[in-house]
Amino acid sequence: MKILVLSFLCLFCVEMTWAMTEKERQDYLKWMQVNLPDVAEWTEWQKQTGELPPDFDRLPKSNLLPDPLRFLDGRPVGYSTAEWTARRKEIKQLFEKYVIGTFPPKPPVDKVVLIDEIRGEGYTLRNVRLEFGPQGKGSVRVRVVIPDGTEDQKFPVMISPNLLGWGQLMLKRGYIHVGYAGNDSMDDGASLKDLYPAYDFATLPRRAWLVQIVIDYLSTLPQVDMAHIAINGYSRDGKMALIAAAYEERIAAVVAGSTGVGGVVPWRFAGERGGGEGIESTTRMFPGWFVSRLRYFSGKEDCLPVDANLLLALIAPRAVLLEWGYTDQVANGWAMEQAYWSAQKVYERLRQPDRMGVLAVPGFHGSNDEEASIDWLDWQFGRSAKKWVNRFVFPWNFNSWCSSSGESIDLTKYPGQPVDAPLAVSQTGWTRKRPDLLRSVQWMLGDSPLILASIPDNEAMRGGRASAVRPSPGASEIAKGNIGNPGQLAPDVPAWVISNGGTSYSWIAPEKDQVTSRRIRFGSTGTRSGGVTGDLYYPVDTPEGKKLPVVIWLHGFHYPLGYMWVYRSDLHPVLALVKAGYAVLAYDQSGFGTRWSETEHFYDRYPHYSRLGKMVDDLKSAVDALQRDAIVDSSKIFVYGYTMGGTLGLYAAALDERIGGVVSIAGFTPMRTDTPEKGLSGMTRYSHLYGLIPRLGLFAGNETQLPYDYDELMALISPRPVLIVQPQHDRDADITDVRAAVKRAQAVYAFDKAGNKLVLQEPDDYARLTNDTQDQIIDWVKENF
């Protein structure tokens, strides 16, 4: 099924007449130096070059993927070969400037040094060193394994970025395997920095650049089928393989395994918002992978002129396989599928619609089905008649939903709403308006199917204390392979994260040693498990019989790990809240983490429901369960949400008065003013992009006719306390519009004599949840609960 992909229509052209002043660029640099972690390599680069941040005002701005079929200035790419050639050249230049650096011209291979040659049973193994470059000082080690064949027989080739690579498998499958020294353990690209000082190509691009030298050597081997050369790479090596294929057109196919950002995961859909690696963490933890200039786009990913979809577009019309694990902490399956569908437009334009494949496998980072990858490659190379069929984990098409569900609205029944008008002029007026708003919100979330009552399934849920606590896994369990095997899901995602721990997952000491947890189940998932599985965390020294206030942690767009987090050095919110004396219920939202499989057929089964409606229903069931739990003070239940979780918290609290309060962090920008010209994700982010609330999409282009907005959602929660945390530099929200919405809602709080219960905090930051911001939030929570 073809998926509708939102790509930006460039709203700002390069000839625009305004720009950042030099002082504004200097001020932004100072902000980075104060607020972002110091990176010694980057700081040294900035001092040496004196380079200021880019003039962001002169760059197109969009949180949606850049359209591969539009030039940077917004002009559409015509259908002629010359037009795509020009756009492709522009994309390459943009990647070289902002991501990978510039390449020197390809030198000839000056000398092939035979290290050794071994004749095996059915193959020949040859180790060589290729010498090239100024004074022959460049070299790359290559290991070639050639199957035995007839005198004129030619074989397809698989290149791996290490000497051993997939050698045994490729030999069995009838391929020549070529391994070269192009990864962390053996990096012959390292010397290129000094060998070519006039070029700034970074570590991964240097390794990618070596591939063309390897292919030049392969062209001298009579057994090589030069029309069928593939390359593979996993994780950082997968990023490298994609760069190599983008620039070396003799590569006919790429198997890109769990590349993460800088590969097939778009920067725009990753980072803190995605609960994973992003520009800030990547340029901090691995500062040499890409050019230093990329770090300037931390929190400003919407201004980056290129992204993963354009890297795929550079490879078109040649073949690419995108592989990842369902709970792969480095990958983000949803984001990768968005990149796929955007690049697919180029493949279709070039009349090669079947050249991209997707392969999702069970497990964490490291999960890899090499045999299936070669099945795909055999079909691409014409060696197999079995057609590859892509299975998408996150299929969604708003237009298809409209057609299949029959949903439509009569816009004449929804009069336009002045965006700056007060919500009501009196308590009486608000009281009359409130029921209609609640009905509108419930209608927008869809028709909830009949939900059976939750059935408690543990001792604690029957009113007793937990008979056993799930301990953190010990070293013996990890050693046995029960936990920590990157290709497995044993025992579960949270335990796997806890066992790995460390600053990469924000599950850190001493706080992690001061918490214990137990499992509870509630609601319904429609699976054999019978309900949503959550973890109730609380202080390890909680006295018997003590009741605790409880926080429900609502995660953001964390597709791989759900309520857990990766590439986060600040303390996990669960641990921070437990440290402050709260019990915390954490669980994966529908379609995320362990519940990834709930997305694929959701709207086939429930066409008039919504995924956010499902999340709201799950949250109601969670409150039901907590009210029965012996350790919980049922009068003190509140929700704490980040990005998507902040959105969910506001909706749920508006509809369920048992929720005592809300913390919403970067949770919204007003919808009626979230129009395309703003350069944000648009109101249709909920309908067209994420598929969370389809009915909202029926108002696309008529945003002012929406029957409610976030100011009214906040007002519906009055007089219960609400904290809105809106970072001033959040790329997906308009801080001025958020301020205005909070102010309008505060007027309703004033009717209830609770004017101080709706608070707006504006960290001088982008949409991160740092320790400093988290501490301020918890201070507010303590004052109100």
Side-chain angles (χ1 to χ4, degrees):
M1 178 175 64
K2 184 175 178 180
I3 307 296
L4 175 68
V5 174
L6 296 174
S7 297
F8 74 78
L9 172 61
C10 182
L11 303 169
F12 306 90
C13 69
V14 293
E15 293 83 14
M16 61 180 62
T17 57
W18 64 91
M20 293 175 70
T21 65
E22 183 170 334
K23 183 179 183 304
E24 287 173 327
R25 294 166 70 189
Q26 290 172 340
D27 288 345
Y28 182 71
L29 174 61
K30 292 176 182 177
W31 180 90
M32 289 182 63
Q33 292 168 335
V34 170
N35 291 278
L36 298 186
D38 181 56
V39 178
E41 295 92 334
W42 185 86
T43 300
E44 181 63 25
W45 166 83
Q46 201 283 322
K47 287 180 179 178
Q48 286 182 355
T49 63
E51 183 171 326
L52 292 175
D55 183 348
F56 295 113
D57 287 347
R58 286 192 176 273
L59 292 172
K61 177 185 177 186
S62 176
N63 283 294
L64 306 177
L65 294 177
D67 192 336
L69 296 178
R70 284 189 179 274
F71 289 97
L72 185 66
D73 63 5
R75 290 179 296 118
V77 175
Y79 284 83
S80 69
T81 301
E83 282 279 286
W84 172 244
T85 300
R87 173 57 171 154
R88 191 174 186 275
K89 179 180 179 181
E90 179 184 64
I91 293 171
K92 290 174 72 173
Q93 291 172 339
L94 291 169
F95 266 107
E96 290 167 14
K97 180 174 183 179
Y98 293 111
V99 182
I100 63 178
T102 53
F103 293 109
K106 182 186 69 170
V109 176
D110 296 324
K111 187 176 182 181
V112 178
V113 179
L114 178 63
I115 299 173
D116 60 38
E117 182 169 300
I118 300 171
R119 285 285 299 127
E121 186 175 346
Y123 67 90
T124 300
L125 186 155
R126 184 180 302 148
N127 285 295
V128 300
R129 184 177 68 251
L130 310 179
E131 297 179 354
F132 60 89
Q135 294 83 50
K137 292 182 179 179
S139 68
V140 56
R141 287 162 288 180
V142 179
R143 182 178 188 263
V144 183
V145 182
I146 305 172
D148 289 348
T150 61
E151 183 177 351
D152 297 327
Q153 187 173 0
K154 293 183 180 293
F155 298 93
V157 176
M158 172 62 80
I159 300 175
S160 297
N162 59 80
L163 297 185
L164 295 178
W166 292 6
Q168 291 187 349
L169 172 62
M170 302 315 299
L171 185 65
K172 289 190 297 183
R173 299 291 294 261
Y175 285 71
I176 292 174
H177 181 263
V178 179
Y180 78 101
N183 71 355
D184 286 359
S185 61
M186 188 178 286
D187 185 8
D188 285 348
S191 64
L192 298 177
K193 181 178 181 180
D194 296 328
L195 199 60
Y196 295 99
Y199 300 89
D200 64 345
F201 54 152
T203 298
L204 297 182
R206 287 197 294 268
R207 297 171 184 172
W209 184 85
L210 285 174
V211 174
Q212 63 185 333
I213 307 295
V214 174
I215 294 179
D216 278 356
Y217 166 66
L218 293 179
S219 69
T220 69
L221 302 182
Q223 301 94 335
V224 169
D225 180 353
M226 289 295 293
H228 294 104
I229 295 176
I231 187 170
N232 75 81
Y234 196 91
S235 194
R236 66 195 66 180
D237 295 341
K239 308 179 205 287
M240 181 283 301
L242 289 165
I243 296 169
Y247 283 81
E248 173 50 84
E249 296 185 34
R250 289 176 295 179
I251 296 174
V254 188
V255 177
S258 186
T259 65
V261 292
V264 187
V265 174
W267 300 105
R268 282 167 170 79
F269 297 145
E272 292 86 349
R273 283 182 167 274
E277 61 178 349
I279 289 180
E280 193 286 314
S281 63
T282 299
T283 57
R284 167 169 42 88
M285 299 172 68
F286 310 104
W289 281 4
F290 303 105
V291 293
S292 297
R293 189 175 299 111
L294 180 62
R295 187 163 176 80
Y296 281 130
F297 291 87
S298 299
K300 288 186 173 290
E301 293 83 358
D302 56 329
C303 295
L304 188 65
V306 292
D307 218 322
N309 61 319
L310 299 192
L311 189 59
L312 292 172
L314 287 179
I315 299 170
R318 290 163 293 141
V320 186
L321 178 67
L322 287 56
E323 184 193 23
W324 72 94
Y326 292 128
T327 48
D328 185 333
Q329 69 273 25
V330 170
N332 178 324
W334 175 84
M336 291 172 68
E337 290 186 9
Q338 304 311 303
Y340 172 99
W341 287 111
S342 176
Q344 180 67 6
K345 295 190 298 182
V346 177
Y347 279 84
E348 291 177 356
R349 174 75 67 90
L350 299 177
R351 299 181 181 180
Q352 294 292 339
D354 296 326
R355 288 298 190 186
M356 281 200 296
V358 296
L359 174 61
V361 298
F364 300 99
H365 192 57
S367 304
N368 192 9
D369 192 336
E370 296 173 0
E371 290 279 12
S373 299
I374 306 308
D375 291 342
W376 169 84
L377 187 60
D378 278 347
W379 180 64
Q380 291 291 342
F381 281 0
R383 292 162 52 87
S384 171
K386 186 177 180 181
K387 183 175 181 179
W388 181 270
V389 178
N390 289 327
R391 178 189 173 188
F392 296 96
V393 180
F394 302 98
W396 168 246
N397 182 313
F398 175 76
N399 292 331
S400 294
W401 170 82
C402 288
S403 177
S404 63
S405 68
E407 293 263 357
S408 64
I409 57 171
D410 181 356
L411 282 170
T412 63
K413 296 181 179 179
Y414 297 89
Q417 306 289 328
V419 296
D420 55 353
L423 302 185
V425 296
S426 67
Q427 176 75 67
T428 301
W430 175 249
T431 300
R432 285 199 300 264
K433 184 177 182 180
R434 195 172 188 278
D436 288 340
L437 284 172
L438 287 170
R439 281 191 290 271
S440 293
V441 172
Q442 192 64 70
W443 171 81
M444 196 70 76
L445 292 178
D447 307 332
S448 177
L450 179 65
I451 305 290
L452 297 177
S454 301
I455 301 175
D457 68 348
N458 62 23
E459 182 179 342
M461 297 299 297
R462 293 192 293 271
R465 187 77 169 189
S467 58
V469 171
R470 177 169 60 97
S472 296
S476 61
E477 291 177 280
I478 298 172
K480 292 176 184 175
N482 296 327
I483 301 169
N485 181 344
Q488 304 298 321
L489 283 174
D492 53 51
V493 171
W496 184 87
V497 171
I498 292 169
S499 71
N500 283 271
T503 55
S504 292
Y505 295 89
S506 72
W507 207 266
I508 53 182
E511 289 82 2
K512 69 175 184 177
D513 300 320
Q514 298 165 359
V515 63
T516 189
S517 67
R518 56 181 164 81
R519 282 279 159 89
I520 66 173
R521 185 163 289 168
F522 53 88
S524 172
T525 61
T527 65
R528 285 182 293 176
S529 63
V532 179
T533 297
D535 294 308
L536 186 62
Y537 295 89
Y538 50 92
V540 71
D541 57 356
T542 302
E544 184 79 25
K546 182 176 176 62
K547 289 184 176 292
L548 298 173
V550 65
V551 182
I552 304 176
W553 160 239
L554 306 173
H555 64 75
F557 294 99
H558 301 187
Y559 282 92
L561 294 184
Y563 79 77
M564 285 298 186
W565 218 314
V566 70
Y567 292 109
R568 172 181 167 82
S569 56
D570 294 291
L571 190 62
H572 195 290
V574 168
L575 297 183
L577 288 160
V578 172
K579 181 180 179 180
Y582 295 90
V584 181
L585 175 63
Y587 63 94
D588 294 348
Q589 299 300 327
S590 179
F592 294 83
T594 56
R595 301 174 65 189
W596 59 266
S597 63
E598 295 179 26
T599 300
E600 181 178 0
H601 300 294
F602 183 89
Y603 288 108
D604 297 328
R605 294 163 176 162
Y606 308 109
H608 305 292
Y609 197 19
S610 73
R611 288 183 55 219
L612 192 73
K614 167 61 175 166
M615 294 177 192
V616 168
D617 285 341
D618 286 346
L619 185 47
K620 290 178 181 178
S621 296
V623 173
D624 291 340
L626 290 171
Q627 286 188 321
R628 297 192 297 265
D629 196 283
I631 203 173
V632 171
D633 181 347
S634 61
S635 68
K636 294 182 178 179
I637 298 174
F638 71 100
V639 296
Y640 182 113
Y642 174 65
T643 59
M644 182 191 75
T647 303
L648 169 59
L650 292 172
Y651 271 91
L655 296 171
D656 190 341
E657 295 187 358
R658 298 173 302 169
I659 296 173
V662 181
V663 174
S664 177
I665 307 158
F668 74 92
T669 195
M671 296 183 289
R672 290 176 181 139
T673 54
D674 190 11
T675 51
E677 59 268 19
K678 281 280 178 83
L680 306 177
S681 292
M683 178 273 290
T684 53
R685 69 183 75 184
Y686 302 107
S687 53
H688 294 58
L689 183 60
Y690 293 110
L692 292 175
I693 316 177
R695 285 176 176 170
L696 272 175
L698 301 174
F699 293 86
N702 300 280
E703 287 82 1
T704 59
Q705 293 178 256
L706 283 166
Y708 68 90
D709 208 335
Y710 283 99
D711 49 1
E712 288 145 321
L713 281 175
M714 288 183 284
L716 286 170
I717 303 171
S718 178
R720 290 165 287 159
V722 173
L723 174 62
I724 303 298
V725 181
Q726 181 52 59
Q728 296 179 36
H729 311 299
D730 182 357
R731 62 184 169 90
D732 217 7
D734 186 313
I735 185 64
T736 301
D737 290 351
V738 173
R739 289 172 187 152
V742 171
K743 185 176 181 180
R744 287 192 295 273
Q746 284 173 333
V748 174
Y749 270 76
F751 296 153
D752 292 328
K753 296 182 172 54
N756 64 339
K757 292 297 184 182
L758 174 57
V759 175
L760 173 64
Q761 291 182 2
E762 301 180 24
D764 182 21
D765 208 343
Y766 60 92
R768 297 186 296 164
L769 182 53
T770 63
N771 283 335
D772 287 343
T773 298
Q774 191 156 252
D775 289 345
Q776 293 179 43
I777 293 170
I778 291 176
D779 287 343
W780 178 89
V781 171
K782 288 179 177 178
E783 291 175 4
N784 288 274
F785 296 94

